[in-house]
Amino acid sequence: MRRCINPVELSAWVDGEVSLRRSRVIRQHVESCPLCAAEVAGLQRVRQAVRLLAGSETGSGADLWMPGQQAQRRQGRQASVESQRLLKRLRAELTREQARVVWGRGPRMRTGWSRAWPAAACALLLVAGIVGSLRESFRPDSSELADSSAPTSQPVVGGDVQVAPAELVTGSLVTAQAQSYSAVSRTSEGTESAEGAERGYSGVTAAGLPTGEDEGSDPRRVSYTLGEVKLTTDATQMPESGKLALWQDGTLAESRASARAAAVTLHPVGSPEEEEDRVTGELAAGVAEKDREGPVAAGMTVANSRPAAGFADSPDPVPVSVAAIAALSDPASQLAAKPGNGKTPGVRPATVNAVRPASESAGATGGKKVSGKATKNEESPDEDEGERSEHQYQQEHERYAATVVADPVESPEEALIKRVLLATTTP
Amino acid sequence: MYWWRRTGSAAAQAGEPVASGVGPLTPEMELVRRCQNGERAAFEELVLLYQQRLLAYLNRLVGPEMAEDLLQETFLRVWRALPAFRGESSFDTWVFRIATNLARDFARRRKVRPEILVPPVAAADEADGSVSNLDGLALDAVGTAERDARHLPEEAIRQRELRDNLEQALAELSQVHRATILLHDLFGFRYEEIAEIMHCPVGTVKSRLFYARASIRQMLERRLPAKEWIG
C-alpha cells in the first residue's frame, strides 16, 4: 500500500488548492485508501457545516417559516436599521475628522508631514524629557537617597542628601575646582560632640582636606576641600538625625537631618549663580551597607544612634547633635569622632553648633551667605581656631590622608580621586 | 456557491483590471474611484456593500459587543486609506485585511476571547422573546430542496443544534484559526488571498485551515452524535 497523503494536503485538495497533476495522484490514492477517504469525508463535512453558518447572518430562523417576500422584507428592514445606524455614526465621525483637517483638505492630504508631525512632536518631547532628566540628575533630590536602599551614585550638587535608616552612605564631594570650592565639615566643639556622643545619637563625619590655599596668616581663611562624607545609621536603633557642617571658603554651610530618616543635608554656600558657575560638587554616594556599624575609619565616621525617648516617633524633623566630625582643627573633638562613643540613648540631642561665626566667615569669603540652617555658637571653642598654626593643619591633612587610605569601603575610583586631590592640594 | 458573493476578488481572478487603469471597472472599483475623488456618497455605498460581510466576520472574531465598534473603525480606516489604495490587491481583500488587523490588535489589547459568539440578529430575537431562533441557515447555502426539508420541526431543531455547537466550536479556536476558516469556508477567499489578508505564507494558511477543521470536527464529534451532523 502506498504511503498516505499528508492530511494538510488532503485539506487543500478538498478545497481545490492543489495542482491538477497532484490532484490526480491524490484522487487515485484516496480511492484506494479507506483512511484517507475517511479523512476527506470528515473535512468535507466540516467545510459544509461551516458554510451553513452563513445563513445565521441573514436573519432569525423565524424567517424560514415566513413566506419568501415577507422574510426578505424583514431581513431588509433589519439590515436597513443597522445600516442607517452605522452610516449615521460614520457621517458624524467623518464630519468631525474633516473639521480637524486643515483648510478642508480631505483624507488624501493626510500624508507626508501632516501624518508625521505627531511622531515628530513625540520625538521632540522625548528628547526634551531625556535632557531634562539628565539635568535633574545633577541636582540633588533629598528623596532619592531616602527612598532607595540600594547603593546610589547620584551626584549631588548642593541641596539635601537624605540617607535612610540602616544605610551607610559614603562618598566624596568632588569639586571641579577643588581649590575654589573648599569646604570642610565641622562639628560642634569637642565637648559638645562628646556630649552628643554620650547621648547616643548618630554621628556624621566629614573629613576636611586642607587645600593649601592658606590665604594669608589668618587661619580662619584657610580653605579646605571636603573629602568625604559618611553617615552610618543603625537598623535597630533609628537615629533621629545627623548633622553635617560644611565650610566653604570660610563660610559655614550646614547639613540638617530629619528625625526619622537620619538625613544629611549639604548646603553649598554662595549664590545660586556662583554655584552654577563655579561649583560642581557631587556626593557620590557609593556604598550602602546595612550591616555596617560603627565608623568606617577613625575620625571619619560616627556611627550608632539610638532614638531619644519621646522623639523616636516624632514625625517632625528634630535638629539634633551631629556626632563628631573629624575634628581636624581641634584635637579635643577627635574624641567625639571615635567609634563607640554614641551609645547612650534617651536624651534629646542638642543642636549642632557651628564652628565658625558666620559673620567672620562671610567677611572672609566676600560676603557669601551662610546657610540659614546652621546654628551658630559664639561660645564654641572653635573660636580659637584662628590661632591654629599652619603646622596643625598639615598634621590634620596627614591624618586625613591616613584615614582615606584606611577606608575599607572606598572604591578604587574614590581612592583615586582622593589621591589626586591630595596630590594637588598638599602644600 | 458561497452565500457571500464576492465581486472584487472574482474580478481579480478573472483578470479584469481592478485599478484605475484601462478597461472597464467593476462597480465596486468604480465606487472606490469615486471615493478617491472625495465623494462621500460613493463611500456610503461601499459601506452598505460590505457592512454585513464585515459585521459577520467581526462578530465571530471579537464578539458582538465589539464588532460594531470595530466595524465603524474599519470603515473609517478604509476612508482614510482609500487615497493610497492602488488596486494591487482586490478591494475586498484589502478591506478584510484592515478588519483582520483591527481584530488582531483588539485581541492583543484585551487578551480575551469571546466565549460564545452569537450573531447579533439571533441574539436580538432571543432577547425579544420572539418566536424562535430555530434556524439561521442561508437559503442560498443549502438550496431550496433543503429548505423544504427543514420545514420539518425535527430537522429545524437538528440544524439549530448543529449551528449552536458549531458556533461554540469556532469560538474555542484561536483567533487566527477562526479567521482562516471563516475567510475560506464562509467568505470564499482563496488561499493566496487569505495569506495576503493575514500576512502569512500560503503554507501557513493550509496548515491553519486543516488544524481548524480537525479541531471543529473533534469538537462536534464530542458533542453531537454522528448522525446529527454527518449529512
Side-chain angles (χ1 to χ4, degrees):
Chain A
M1 186 176 177
R2 292 177 62 186
R3 208 173 140 193
C4 282
I5 306 293
N6 186 335
V8 175
E9 194 174 15
L10 279 180
S11 174
W13 180 69
V14 168
D15 293 332
E17 294 276 357
V18 295
S19 66
L20 184 61
R21 186 177 175 183
R22 184 66 185 160
S23 175
R24 287 179 187 144
V25 173
I26 293 174
R27 178 180 298 279
Q28 286 176 358
H29 175 81
V30 168
E31 286 173 355
S32 62
C33 176
L35 287 177
C36 290
E39 182 72 27
V40 168
L43 290 170
Q44 284 175 335
R45 281 196 298 272
V46 173
R47 189 165 173 252
Q48 289 169 358
V50 173
R51 284 186 184 177
L52 294 182
L53 290 176
S56 62
E57 308 304 326
T58 63
S60 69
D63 295 342
L64 294 174
W65 303 92
M66 297 176 183
Q69 289 184 349
Q70 189 180 345
Q72 285 180 1
R73 277 200 299 273
R74 173 172 173 155
Q75 293 171 14
R77 271 200 310 275
Q78 289 171 342
S80 175
V81 170
E82 291 175 6
S83 301
Q84 290 306 317
R85 193 171 55 193
L86 175 65
L87 285 176
K88 191 176 176 183
R89 290 168 66 183
L90 280 174
R91 283 184 196 126
E93 189 64 33
L94 289 176
T95 304
R96 275 198 297 271
E97 190 166 289
Q98 200 167 22
R100 287 195 294 264
V101 179
V102 183
W103 295 109
R105 287 181 171 182
R108 183 195 298 264
M109 299 302 179
R110 285 181 57 81
T111 56
W113 173 246
S114 65
R115 182 175 292 179
W117 77 262
C122 289
L124 203 61
L125 284 175
L126 186 64
V127 169
I130 291 172
V131 170
S133 63
L134 285 176
R135 291 190 64 184
E136 280 298 316
S137 67
F138 289 95
R139 297 177 183 277
D141 186 354
S142 59
S143 63
E144 286 179 0
L145 287 176
D147 294 336
S148 173
S149 59
T152 56
S153 59
Q154 299 255 351
V156 176
V157 180
D160 295 347
V161 179
Q162 290 204 348
V163 181
E167 271 192 357
L168 170 63
V169 176
T170 176
S172 297
L173 185 66
V174 181
T175 64
Q177 296 171 321
Q179 295 186 352
S180 62
Y181 183 76
S182 55
V184 64
S185 56
R186 290 287 187 272
T187 180
S188 55
E189 32 73 24
T191 55
E192 185 71 18
S193 296
E195 185 181 3
E198 288 172 3
R199 289 169 181 169
Y201 290 94
S202 66
V204 177
T205 298
L209 181 65
T211 62
E213 281 192 336
D214 194 346
E215 302 176 13
S217 58
D218 186 356
R220 288 175 297 186
R221 298 189 62 187
V222 171
S223 299
Y224 287 85
T225 298
L226 181 67
E228 189 171 31
V229 179
K230 290 183 180 179
L231 171 67
T232 303
T233 61
D234 192 337
T236 58
Q237 298 173 339
M238 180 180 291
E240 284 197 358
S241 71
K243 200 173 219 177
L244 177 66
L246 300 176
W247 289 86
Q248 179 186 1
D249 291 336
T251 304
L252 177 66
E254 183 205 0
S255 68
R256 194 181 65 171
S258 65
R260 303 297 296 272
V264 175
T265 308
L266 302 180
H267 294 283
V269 181
S271 65
E273 294 78 13
E274 289 173 338
E275 294 301 326
E276 287 289 332
D277 295 339
R278 202 166 62 84
V279 180
T280 56
E282 63 178 29
L283 177 64
V287 179
E289 290 184 5
K290 194 170 184 176
D291 298 330
R292 189 173 186 84
E293 289 185 2
V296 175
M300 294 190 67
T301 304
V302 178
N304 185 24
S305 63
R306 186 171 296 182
F311 291 97
D313 297 327
S314 171
D316 298 322
V318 178
V320 291
S321 69
V322 173
I325 298 175
L328 301 175
S329 60
D330 191 348
S333 63
Q334 293 181 22
L335 294 174
K338 290 181 179 178
N341 283 345
K343 298 290 185 183
T344 308
V347 182
R348 181 171 183 162
T351 303
V352 169
N353 295 318
V355 180
R356 192 178 308 214
S359 58
E360 294 178 16
S361 302
T365 56
K368 286 182 182 175
K369 293 179 183 176
V370 177
S371 168
K373 294 174 183 175
T375 306
K376 189 172 68 175
N377 185 358
E378 300 290 349
E379 298 175 1
S380 169
D382 274 4
E383 284 288 340
D384 59 1
E385 184 180 350
E387 298 175 5
R388 291 186 194 135
S389 65
E390 194 172 335
H391 177 68
Q392 286 176 309
Y393 283 109
Q394 180 63 31
Q395 288 179 338
E396 292 165 3
H397 175 238
E398 290 172 359
R399 279 200 299 274
Y400 171 72
T403 59
V404 166
V405 173
D407 188 354
V409 297
E410 185 178 61
S411 67
E413 293 78 11
E414 292 173 17
L416 179 62
I417 291 171
K418 288 170 187 172
R419 287 195 190 97
V420 171
L421 286 174
L422 281 172
T424 55
T425 57
T426 302
Chain B
M1 192 64 184
Y2 296 99
W3 180 77
W4 307 107
R5 300 293 180 193
R6 296 174 50 232
T7 56
S9 60
Q13 288 168 30
E16 298 173 10
V18 292
S20 55
V22 293
L25 291 177
T26 63
E28 188 177 88
M29 290 309 297
E30 177 63 26
L31 287 175
V32 170
R33 191 188 58 78
R34 285 168 54 197
C35 285
Q36 289 177 331
N37 290 332
E39 274 190 50
R40 189 81 69 83
F43 177 66
E44 291 185 0
E45 286 186 49
L46 271 180
V47 170
L48 294 177
L49 198 61
Y50 279 90
Q51 177 200 359
Q52 279 199 314
R53 271 191 284 174
L54 285 175
L55 188 60
Y57 181 57
L58 292 170
N59 261 339
R60 291 190 168 88
L61 281 191
V62 298
E65 292 173 355
M66 283 303 300
E68 285 197 18
D69 288 343
L70 287 189
L71 180 67
Q72 176 183 330
E73 183 62 26
T74 300
F75 283 123
L76 285 175
R77 292 199 182 188
V78 166
W79 172 254
R80 290 172 195 145
L82 260 175
F85 177 68
R86 290 177 296 181
E88 291 173 353
S89 62
S90 65
F91 183 72
D92 53 354
T93 300
W94 186 69
V95 170
F96 269 83
R97 182 162 64 184
I98 292 175
T100 304
N101 288 342
L102 279 172
R104 183 196 58 201
D105 293 344
F106 171 77
R108 282 179 183 166
R109 281 198 307 271
R110 295 284 297 272
K111 295 287 182 187
V112 294
R113 224 170 50 192
E115 294 179 358
I116 299 175
L117 301 172
V118 182
V121 176
D125 283 342
E126 287 176 357
D128 294 343
S130 56
V131 180
S132 63
N133 185 16
L134 291 179
D135 204 344
L137 299 178
L139 307 185
D140 292 350
V142 295
T144 309
E146 293 180 35
R147 183 194 174 195
D148 293 338
R150 277 185 280 112
H151 277 91
L152 298 173
E154 293 80 10
E155 179 62 15
I157 292 172
R158 187 186 74 83
Q159 294 286 354
R160 184 190 64 179
E161 194 173 0
L162 171 60
R163 197 197 65 195
D164 290 347
N165 280 282
L166 197 56
E167 293 280 11
Q168 286 189 358
L170 271 174
E172 289 180 17
L173 292 176
S174 70
Q175 197 186 55
V176 287
H177 291 101
R178 194 162 59 233
T180 306
I181 197 169
L182 287 175
L183 287 171
H184 187 273
D185 289 350
L186 200 58
F187 299 104
F189 286 98
R190 297 181 60 81
Y191 282 13
E192 290 81 6
E193 293 170 323
I194 296 173
E196 192 177 340
I197 289 172
M198 304 193 71
H199 305 280
C200 64
V202 173
T204 305
V205 174
K206 282 183 188 176
S207 60
R208 282 178 182 171
L209 198 53
F210 167 74
Y211 177 84
R213 284 172 176 163
S215 301
I216 288 176
R217 184 182 172 189
Q218 284 181 356
M219 291 176 205
L220 289 181
E221 284 174 351
R222 212 167 44 231
R223 291 170 183 168
L224 293 173
K227 64 174 183 178
E228 294 287 328
W229 72 284
I230 298 178

